[in-house]
Amino acid sequence: MSTQPRPSTQPRPSALPAPSPRETPSGPEGGVPRHGSRTRRRRRRGAERRPRFALAVTALFFALLYLPVGVVVLFSFNSQKSLTVLEGVSLRWYTALLHDEVLLDSLGMSLRVSLVAMAGSLVLGVALALGLVRSRSRLGSFAGLIMLVPLITPEIVTGVAAMLLFKGLGITLSTTTVMLAEITFSISYVTVILRSRIASLNPEVEEAAMDLGATRGQALRLVTLPALLPSILASAVLIFALVFDDFVLAYFTTGVDPQPLSVRIYSAIRFGVQPTINAVGTLMLAGSIGLILLALAIPRLFGRKGGLDLLSGK
């Protein structure tokens, strides 16, 4: 009886050799095709290429914005009484400013208004920010939205409204009315800056202070306010700079004499631009830039984030 061999259960090896990695359709070592890699590199280079048109528009914008300011600064050092021809460099007009009693009185008034507005808006703004964050009712949320209205309302509308209010109450326009108007206008800035900072504080720290025997007022004074100190100082410097340079609100709420420096400059320009005005404008610009830089740097001095994070209260 003859036996036949059983068919093998193992698969037969393929007659064709396995393709090498370089011959696979996916490219070397199983990667992507070479032409696809080149295409992606070209697209990446195109995306990283700087848009020349956007850069040109940005440069034109800053030139139109700051070129007039640069002209004022340049001609404040002019040695001659000329606003068109620069004939030499001199501090003549800065010396003349120091002997101008009218401008010095206006400068003193602007400093007083700025200091009072800064102090008043800080006290009211900190209290309002604490109340808005700690409030759990719908009225608190609605009040938070109302606080944003002064920031988006045209300042001329606020100035006219303040003037009509004082006139309706029979209050004579004076330095006091300017202070009240500036305080009212500045409260929103302080509240917006401090709200997010207060919301980021851990309430358990204040609760732990009260568990250790402190009253709510002591916990606020010894725990919460020190944590808010960088934002409070930055808000103070920012408010001082804003109020010192403000013109629209001061114009509608000021009296006859003395007038804030910005209003005095406007009154002097109507009768012709004097080189002394260039010196005043340069000093105001330098002071404002210094105060704003200080406001942006204060959080970093306390070990917190600075820069543009100031506006969000971080």
Side-chain angles (χ1 to χ4, degrees):
M1 182 175 180
S2 62
T3 60
Q4 296 181 356
R6 295 182 180 181
S8 176
T9 57
Q10 298 180 354
R12 294 183 179 181
S14 175
L16 297 177
S20 62
R22 296 187 177 183
E23 295 178 356
T24 56
S26 60
E29 299 181 1
V32 294
R34 292 185 177 182
H35 66 276
S37 177
R38 294 195 192 100
T39 303
R40 277 195 291 271
R41 281 198 294 267
R42 292 195 192 103
R43 292 176 180 176
R44 190 180 300 111
R45 291 172 184 171
E48 295 176 355
R49 190 177 302 167
R50 297 179 179 179
R52 297 180 179 178
F53 178 75
L55 293 176
V57 172
T58 304
L60 179 62
F61 167 77
F62 283 108
L64 294 176
L65 184 64
Y66 292 107
L67 186 59
V69 179
V71 171
V72 170
V73 175
L74 180 63
F75 278 90
S76 67
F77 297 98
N78 194 3
S79 61
Q80 301 297 326
K81 191 177 180 180
S82 176
L83 299 176
T84 57
V85 179
L86 184 63
E87 300 183 5
V89 179
S90 175
L91 298 177
R92 170 185 175 184
W93 306 114
Y94 291 91
T95 305
L97 173 62
L98 296 178
H99 295 85
D100 194 331
E101 295 182 0
V102 176
L103 288 177
L104 291 179
D105 291 341
S106 298
L107 175 61
M109 178 186 176
S110 294
L111 292 175
R112 291 194 302 271
V113 170
S114 301
L115 290 173
V116 173
M118 179 185 67
S121 60
L122 281 179
V123 173
L124 298 176
V126 170
L128 184 58
L130 287 170
L132 292 177
V133 174
R134 303 291 172 81
S135 177
R136 304 297 181 182
S137 62
R138 296 182 179 179
L139 182 60
S141 302
F142 179 74
L145 295 176
I146 294 296
M147 289 305 303
L148 299 177
V149 175
L151 302 180
I152 61 176
T153 303
E155 193 173 355
I156 188 172
V157 176
T158 307
V160 173
M163 181 187 66
L164 295 177
L165 176 63
F166 293 137
K167 291 289 186 179
L169 296 176
I171 301 176
T172 305
L173 298 181
S174 61
T175 305
T176 303
T177 57
V178 179
M179 293 178 179
L180 293 175
E182 295 290 354
I183 290 174
T184 306
F185 180 72
S186 303
I187 291 175
S188 299
Y189 288 93
V190 179
T191 305
V192 170
I193 292 174
L194 293 179
R195 274 186 63 187
S196 55
R197 176 58 185 158
I198 295 173
S200 65
L201 295 178
N202 189 359
E204 295 180 355
V205 178
E206 189 173 342
E207 294 175 359
M210 290 188 290
D211 291 340
L212 294 175
T215 63
R216 185 173 295 275
Q218 291 175 339
L220 176 64
R221 179 171 54 88
L222 300 176
V223 177
T224 305
L225 291 182
L228 297 177
L229 184 60
S231 298
I232 292 175
L233 293 178
S235 302
V237 177
L238 186 61
I239 293 302
F240 184 90
L242 291 175
V243 173
F244 184 80
D245 292 340
D246 183 68
F247 166 74
V248 178
L249 196 59
Y251 178 78
F252 283 101
T253 57
T254 188
V256 178
D257 198 42
Q259 294 178 333
L261 185 58
S262 57
V263 180
R264 180 66 66 182
I265 292 175
Y266 172 75
S267 302
I269 289 177
R270 291 188 301 174
F271 300 101
V273 180
Q274 299 295 327
T276 310
I277 303 300
N278 293 335
V280 175
T282 303
L283 293 177
M284 292 178 64
L285 176 64
S288 300
I289 292 176
L291 289 174
I292 292 175
L293 292 178
L294 179 61
L296 297 177
I298 282 177
R300 290 189 178 274
L301 298 178
F302 287 84
R304 293 187 173 90
K305 294 181 179 180
L308 297 179
D309 292 335
L310 165 68
L311 298 178
S312 60
K314 296 181 180 180

